[in-house]
Amino acid sequence: MIFTPKFPLVLGAGDMLFSNAEIKDIVLFHLKNVILTSPGEKITDPDYGVGIKRYLFEQMTTGTLNLISKRISSAISRYLSYLDLVSVNVLTGEREDALYVSIKYRLPGIGELMESNIEFTPNSSSY
């Protein structure tokens, strides 16, 4: 697992960036990264990512939600293989242009079930 900088970026001693110390924050960073990155965007691996923003204006049928869920599950299994994925649920909410993703997983060595809930909207500048 790769450690990540903490956002907003803040310099610490010796001009080093503060990094996420909590494993939950690191996993959430990686989950958001793989879900938000569009295939073709990462030059070294053109298959990397889900590109969830491209689905925000699709007609949200059960089939579309299942397709997004399968793509997220597949990307997590391939690129975040250190996670023991339990479930991925993609839902719409009150807003027609929003997607809500709930991911349940376990980390090896940590027995507790963890859950990350992320809302994606077209106008969000941060997730």
Side-chain angles (χ1 to χ4, degrees):
M1 180 181 326
I2 300 170
F3 289 92
T4 60
K6 189 171 187 173
F7 290 96
L9 297 174
V10 177
L11 290 177
D15 291 335
M16 297 294 292
L17 294 174
F18 283 107
S19 65
N20 286 316
E22 294 289 322
I23 194 77
K24 291 179 184 180
D25 293 335
I26 293 169
V27 170
L28 183 60
F29 175 85
H30 288 284
L31 286 170
K32 287 179 181 178
N33 192 19
V34 78
I35 293 170
L36 285 169
T37 302
S38 294
E41 189 175 345
K42 186 174 181 180
I43 295 171
T44 58
D45 187 351
D47 295 327
Y48 181 87
V50 174
I52 198 163
K53 282 195 168 191
R54 68 180 163 174
Y55 296 106
L56 291 176
F57 297 104
E58 294 285 330
Q59 185 174 7
M60 288 303 145
T61 63
T62 304
T64 304
L65 295 173
N66 288 337
L67 173 68
I68 298 168
S69 179
K70 286 179 185 176
R71 291 213 171 145
I72 291 171
S73 296
S74 176
I76 290 171
S77 296
R78 182 171 179 187
Y79 296 106
L80 305 177
S81 59
Y82 58 86
L83 296 178
D84 292 330
L85 189 60
V86 174
S87 67
V88 175
N89 290 312
V90 180
L91 305 167
T92 57
E94 295 175 12
R95 292 185 54 171
E96 290 182 18
D97 63 347
L99 289 173
Y100 303 91
V101 179
S102 174
I103 303 169
K104 293 182 183 177
Y105 55 90
R106 285 189 169 80
L107 286 169
I110 300 175
E112 77 177 280
L113 181 66
M114 296 186 197
E115 182 174 7
S116 293
N117 296 299
I118 313 165
E119 175 185 359
F120 298 97
T121 62
N123 299 326
S124 293
S125 59
S126 64
Y127 294 94

